[in-house]
C-alpha cells in the first residue's frame, strides 16, 4: 500500500514557553500513581472511549495499530475475571513466585486477593494482535510488544489527564482473558487495567523515583 504525504503543521513554542510546558508536564506526570483501592463510582463510557482513542494515537510498527482494548463494565464479566485471576494469583503467591520476588513485593502489600477487579467501574483489557486477520488471511504485524506497550503508556497518561486512576495489573498466566472475553486466536492479553476514581482514603506505597543521574547518561 502506498500512502500520500501531506504537510505537517508543527506546534512551535518559544524556549521560555517550552521550559514552562515541559516542567509543568513533568510535575503533573510525577503525580501519577498506581492505585489498588478503587471507588465503585461510575465513570461515563464516553470518557473511557476517548481515553482509549488517545491510546490508539501511539506509534506502531508499520502503523498496524496491533491492539484491541476490551472495556468491561458488566458486573457478571468482572466477577468472572476476578475469580479466574485470583485462582492464578493464589498459585503464584503459594509457590509459583520465587522468594526474591515475594520479598520485592512486600513494600506493595499485594497478595492473591484482587477485589479491585469487581469494584473498579471499568476494566480495560489490552490485547496485542500477534498478526491481523484480513478477510481470513494472515497479515503480519511488527514490533508488537513495543507498539502495544507504547499504547498502554498513552492510555495511562490519558487516564491521569481525566483525574482518574489505574493499576497496570498482570495476572499470570492470563490466557483466561482470551476465553472469558471470547477474543480470536490472533489476540493475546497484554495488560489488565482497572480504571476509576480512587477509594476515599486510598493509600499508596511511599515510593520515590530514581533521580536523573541514575537513569540518564549524556553523550555530548
Ligand atoms: N501479578 C501479581 C504479582 C505482582 C507482580 C509485580 I512485578 C508487581 O509489581 C505487583 C504484583 C499480582 O498482581 O499480585
Amino acid at each position: 500500500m502506498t500512502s500520500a504525504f501531506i504537510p505537517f503543521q508543527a506546534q512551535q513554542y518559544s524556549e521560555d514557553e517550552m521550559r514552562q510546558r515541559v516542567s509543568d508536564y513533568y510535575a503533573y506526570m510525577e503525580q501519577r500513581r498506581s492505585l489498588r483501592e478503587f471507588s465503585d463510582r461510575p465513570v461515563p463510557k464516553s470518557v473511557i472511549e476517548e481515553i482509549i482513542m488517545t491510546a490508539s494515537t501511539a506509534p506502531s510498527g508499520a502503523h498496524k495499530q496491533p491492539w484491541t482494548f476490551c472495556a468491561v463494565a458488566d458486573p457478571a464479566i468482572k466477577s468472572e475475571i476476578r475469580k479466574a485471576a485470583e485462582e492464578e494469583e493464589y498459585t503464584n503467591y503459594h509457590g509459583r513466585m520465587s522468594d526474591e520476588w515475594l520479598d520485592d513485593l512486600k513494600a506493595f502489600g499485594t497478595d492473591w486477593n484482587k477485589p479491585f477487579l469487581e469494584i473498579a467501574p471499568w476494566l480495560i483489557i489490552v490485547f496485542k494482535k500477534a498478526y491481523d486477520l484480513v478477510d481470513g488471511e494472515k497479515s503480519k504485524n511488527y514490533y508488537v510488544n513495543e507498539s502495544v506497550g507504547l499504547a498502554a503508556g498513552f492510555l495511562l497518561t490519558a487516564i491521569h489527564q481525566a483525574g482518574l486512576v489505574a493499576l497496570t495489573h498482570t495476572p499470570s498466566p492470563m490466557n483466561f482473558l482470551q476465553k472469558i472475553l471470547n477474543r480470536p486466536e490472533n489476540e493475546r492479553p497484554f495488560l489488565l487495567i482497572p480504571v476509576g476514581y480512587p477509594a476515599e482514603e486510598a493509600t499508596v506505597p511511599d515510593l520515590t523515583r530514581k533521580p536523573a543521574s541514575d537513569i540518564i547518561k549524556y553523550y555530548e
Side-chain angles (χ1 to χ4, degrees), residues 36 89 93 97 101 105 110-111 114 169-171:
R36 288 185 172 76
E89 292 295 0
Y93 281 90
M97 284 151 81
W101 193 350
L105 290 182
T110 59
D111 62 25
K114 304 299 174 193
H169 183 41
T170 51

Side-chain angles (χ1 to χ4, degrees), residues 2-219:
T2 51
S3 72
F5 281 71
I6 54 171
F8 171 66
Q9 244 79 46
Q11 198 62 255
Q12 300 258 359
Y13 306 106
S14 70
E15 210 169 295
D16 279 351
E17 259 180 308
M18 183 189 284
R19 278 183 221 292
Q20 190 64 52
R21 289 177 65 90
V22 80
S23 300
D24 289 350
Y25 194 64
Y26 171 39
Y28 179 65
M29 288 304 291
E30 175 62 12
Q31 300 295 313
R32 189 204 56 79
R33 294 299 308 260
S34 294
L35 259 285
R36 288 185 172 76
E37 296 163 293
F38 288 83
S39 155
D40 61 4
R41 184 175 163 193
V43 170
K45 182 178 174 180
S46 57
V47 168
I48 295 298
E49 182 150 326
E50 294 223 295
I51 285 170
I52 293 173
M53 291 313 289
T54 303
S56 200
T57 67
S60 61
H63 192 51
K64 297 280 187 175
Q65 300 178 260
W67 43 65
T68 299
F69 298 86
C70 295
V72 178
D74 181 333
I77 302 175
K78 287 198 292 185
S79 158
E80 211 183 329
I81 289 175
R82 176 182 179 182
K83 195 164 159 288
E86 285 184 339
E87 266 172 37
E88 293 295 357
E89 292 295 0
Y90 187 90
T91 316
N92 289 337
Y93 281 90
H94 293 83
R96 213 150 53 185
M97 284 151 81
S98 66
D99 288 344
E100 185 184 0
W101 193 350
L102 291 172
D103 210 48
D104 275 338
L105 290 182
K106 276 194 185 131
F108 305 95
T110 59
D111 62 25
W112 62 272
N113 282 291
K114 304 299 174 193
F116 54 77
L117 293 176
E118 285 186 285
I119 298 169
W122 291 94
L123 304 179
I124 300 179
I125 300 90
V126 186
F127 284 83
K128 63 176 180 184
K129 292 169 124 180
Y131 53 89
D132 255 308
L133 285 170
V134 183
D135 303 327
E137 293 282 310
K138 277 192 187 184
S139 96
K140 241 177 114 45
N141 288 333
Y142 309 92
Y143 299 100
V144 170
N145 287 314
E146 291 84 347
S147 302
V148 183
L150 286 161
F154 280 34
L155 187 81
L156 296 181
T157 63
I159 291 165
H160 184 52
Q161 172 73 11
L164 299 170
V165 294
L167 178 69
T168 39
H169 183 41
T170 51
S172 138
M174 54 180 167
N175 36 4
F176 65 84
L177 290 165
Q178 200 174 5
K179 274 192 217 111
I180 293 174
L181 299 170
N182 203 18
R183 300 313 304 160
E185 202 284 321
N186 62 321
E187 295 188 14
R188 317 277 155 78
F190 187 76
L191 280 174
L192 167 43
I193 305 181
V195 183
Y197 292 91
E200 266 175 55
E201 298 179 39
T203 60
V204 290
D206 187 10
L207 305 178
T208 53
R209 291 180 167 122
K210 288 182 178 175
S213 57
D214 278 10
I215 61 157
I216 310 175
K217 304 295 164 201
Y218 286 106
Y219 300 79

